[in-house]
Amino acid sequence: KVREAVWRDWFSGKRKALMAILPEDFVGIGAGGGSGQTRAETVASSEAFAAGGGKLTNLAFSDNRIQKIGNVCVIYCGFTFTTTDKAGASNTVTGRATEVFVHSAGV
């Protein structure tokens, strides 16, 4: 539930929501690979995507596997998302993700 909300918030450019859920020491690597991004860089790229007219039209996760280690959950999964740009052209991306969630006080 939280994972899907974070992805949807990213595609919607929801700065406040992302800042509330992503920790200060966040490191992310986008679906296209490349170098890791800080929380500030991730939020900036989210805002740029939304400001440029990009929209998420489909998001699906598959083959979800969750490994729980103390207060840490590691999610391994496949994903597919489709976006459209401001001209209406669509782009579908499929890949694999590994995500780490740490349960902390109040979250």
Side-chain angles (χ1 to χ4, degrees):
K1 185 175 173 180
V2 172
R3 172 191 49 182
E4 184 168 338
V6 171
W7 283 56
R8 290 187 181 282
D9 289 343
W10 188 93
F11 283 106
S12 299
K14 293 184 177 175
R15 176 181 191 65
K16 186 175 179 179
L18 292 171
M19 293 298 285
I21 194 73
L22 300 177
E24 286 186 37
D25 60 352
F26 174 83
V27 176
I29 298 174
S35 62
Q37 291 187 329
T38 65
R39 177 174 74 167
E41 292 166 333
T42 298
V43 172
S45 64
S46 162
E47 291 175 318
F49 174 82
K55 302 276 186 218
L56 177 68
T57 59
N58 181 54
L59 175 62
F61 297 100
S62 62
D63 195 26
N64 295 291
R65 296 173 189 253
I66 300 172
Q67 181 180 24
K68 189 171 186 330
I69 307 162
N71 67 339
V72 174
C73 286
V74 182
I75 301 174
Y76 309 93
C77 68
F79 67 84
T80 299
F81 64 81
T82 303
T83 58
T84 57
D85 62 20
K86 64 181 176 183
S90 68
N91 181 45
T92 299
V93 176
T94 300
R96 299 186 54 76
T98 302
E99 299 174 307
V100 179
F101 290 85
V102 179
H103 179 67
S104 59
V107 180

